[in-house]
Amino acid sequence: MLREAEMAETTIRHRLTEPTGTVRCTAGVATMQFAMADIIADFLVKYPKVNVFAHAADRTVDIVGENFDLAVRAHSDPLPDSNLVQRTLAPAPWYLFAGTDYIEKNGAPKNPQDLQTHPSLFMMRTGVSPVWRLRHARQARDEVVVPLTPRLIADDMVGLQQAAIKGIGVVALPGYIARAAVQSGALCRILPDWLAGDSTLTALIPYRQGLLPSVRSFLDHLAAEFPKAVLL
């Protein structure tokens, strides 16, 4: 009887520590589509007893009020102070891209000043004027400010990328957004020695202590895989 009781206790403890159940996560649409889709699929393969509810939305989701276990935020400025626990997942620098056909027809700019002779596509953000502030990736230099008269201003990264692929102009995007298009040959990175901006991918969780094994495993998986997902 004692042996059976010990075996039962061991089984219960194992179930409490083994990742099981459902993880509810939320992220921006582009982040979910271009960075997290493969990461989540790999997690589900690795942890067959865990299910994931993945919610994509470009609004700010109240993860406590809407009962999410975790949110992934892509941001250029520090996130506002809150009671949420933050864990940095990966830097996500912005680069300049143009369609391969566009470069073949028009040539690639050789320096930041050449950008003023090329049409531009601009990601609309609150309080941000249509300029690119470029800095050298390896050398400490003052930034180069490139004023723009964009052919397209939008708050949709997917649409901006598609316009660049069609040859409408040059676009600045986080590298992970354009990664697949670069690998397929649809887009080219231009001025590779220059960065068009900095951003960070951060996970937010409601609390640090008492995370379910499934949520902790998912968070650790994101931290391990995001640095690979954002590389060009």
Side-chain angles (χ1 to χ4, degrees):
M1 290 175 62
L2 287 173
R3 188 179 301 112
E4 290 177 358
E6 289 175 355
M7 291 176 60
E9 183 179 1
T10 299
T11 300
I12 292 172
R13 286 180 176 175
H14 180 68
R15 288 177 178 174
L16 289 174
T17 57
E18 183 183 15
T20 59
T22 299
V23 177
R24 290 173 53 84
C25 70
T26 181
V29 174
T31 301
M32 187 71 75
Q33 180 177 354
F34 290 97
M36 292 184 67
D38 287 341
I39 292 176
I40 291 173
D42 290 343
F43 175 81
L44 292 171
V45 171
K46 186 176 181 180
Y47 295 98
K49 294 185 179 181
V50 180
N51 303 320
V52 173
F53 177 86
H55 171 52
D58 287 331
R59 63 182 178 87
T60 301
V61 175
D62 178 0
I63 67 173
V64 175
E66 298 182 46
N67 196 31
F68 283 97
D69 298 302
L70 180 147
V72 175
R73 298 274 191 263
H75 56 100
S76 298
D77 298 320
L79 292 172
D81 290 336
S82 70
N83 294 326
L84 300 176
V85 178
Q86 300 183 17
R87 180 171 177 180
T88 300
L89 299 174
W94 290 51
Y95 305 115
L96 294 170
F97 301 96
T100 302
D101 292 342
Y102 175 88
I103 294 300
E104 290 178 355
K105 292 178 182 178
N106 300 281
K110 295 180 172 57
N111 55 64
Q113 290 74 22
D114 288 349
L115 289 169
Q116 294 184 342
T117 65
H118 292 266
S120 60
L121 314 167
F122 189 72
M123 177 68 187
M124 180 173 61
R125 285 157 287 169
T126 303
V128 178
S129 302
V131 299
W132 285 329
R133 300 182 181 276
L134 308 182
R135 63 179 179 83
H136 201 274
R138 294 185 300 275
Q139 301 177 19
R141 297 182 181 178
D142 293 336
E143 66 180 12
V144 177
V145 178
V146 181
L148 305 174
T149 305
R151 290 207 62 201
L152 173 62
I153 299 178
D155 60 0
D156 172 20
M157 289 186 181
V158 178
L160 289 169
Q161 177 178 252
Q162 193 60 30
I165 290 172
K166 290 183 177 294
I168 307 301
V170 176
V171 67
L173 291 171
Y176 68 89
I177 299 294
R179 181 184 185 188
V182 170
Q183 291 175 343
S184 72
L187 282 182
C188 292
R189 183 179 170 189
I190 61 174
L191 296 178
D193 291 333
W194 294 86
L195 300 178
D198 296 297
S199 63
T200 304
L201 291 158
T202 299
L204 300 176
I205 53 177
Y207 39 77
R208 190 185 305 275
Q209 301 299 325
L211 284 180
L212 292 172
S214 55
V215 178
R216 186 174 299 281
S217 297
F218 186 68
L219 179 58
D220 290 343
H221 182 76
L222 293 181
E225 298 301 321
F226 253 107
K228 306 171 192 176
V230 299
L231 291 176
L232 275 178

